[in-house]
Amino acid sequence: MVKNIYIAGPLFNVHEKKYLEEIAAALEGAGYDCFLPHRDQTGIDPDELKDNNMSQSTKDIIFKTDIDALDNADLVIALVSGQDIDSGTASEIGYMYANKKPIIAITAWERRYRNLFTEGMFTKTIQTIKEVLPAVEQMNS
């Protein structure tokens, strides 16, 4: 039964973050618990996230928090838009696949070929946020 969902995707600009937050809002509105890496980190000085000079302790906290969230997740929803699948997102997909957990990929209607190895790990591919909730509920049936 799916209850905890990890939402993966690129975090390079406000638009990507907002899209991921919209995915989380749709799921949380239906009672699912979601983890968004850029929203749900704890124990970090926010000023350290503003530049590329993070301390090793901050990097360690982020890694541990993300791994714990992946371990606790029943499913990952991965935004796979962009020139290529984001390396962090691909890592999260691979980790979940290796742990035999389902992956729903959302393409946001991009028309391009994806990395076929990574795409082979997807349980389901959808195009829009409107399809997210039905896809997750299908996993519960």
Side-chain angles (χ1 to χ4, degrees), residues 41 44-63:
Q41 291 290 335
I44 297 173
D45 178 359
D47 288 333
E48 260 203 87
L49 300 177
K50 292 179 183 175
D51 61 35
N52 291 326
N53 290 325
M54 284 187 228
S55 68
Q56 187 59 50
S57 64
T58 295
K59 292 175 185 177
D60 292 345
I61 290 168
I62 291 170
F63 177 76

Side-chain angles (χ1 to χ4, degrees), residues 88-101:
T89 304
S91 297
E92 292 156 332
I93 289 167
Y95 187 86
M96 291 297 272
Y97 183 82
N99 283 286
K100 299 180 178 14
K101 294 183 181 184

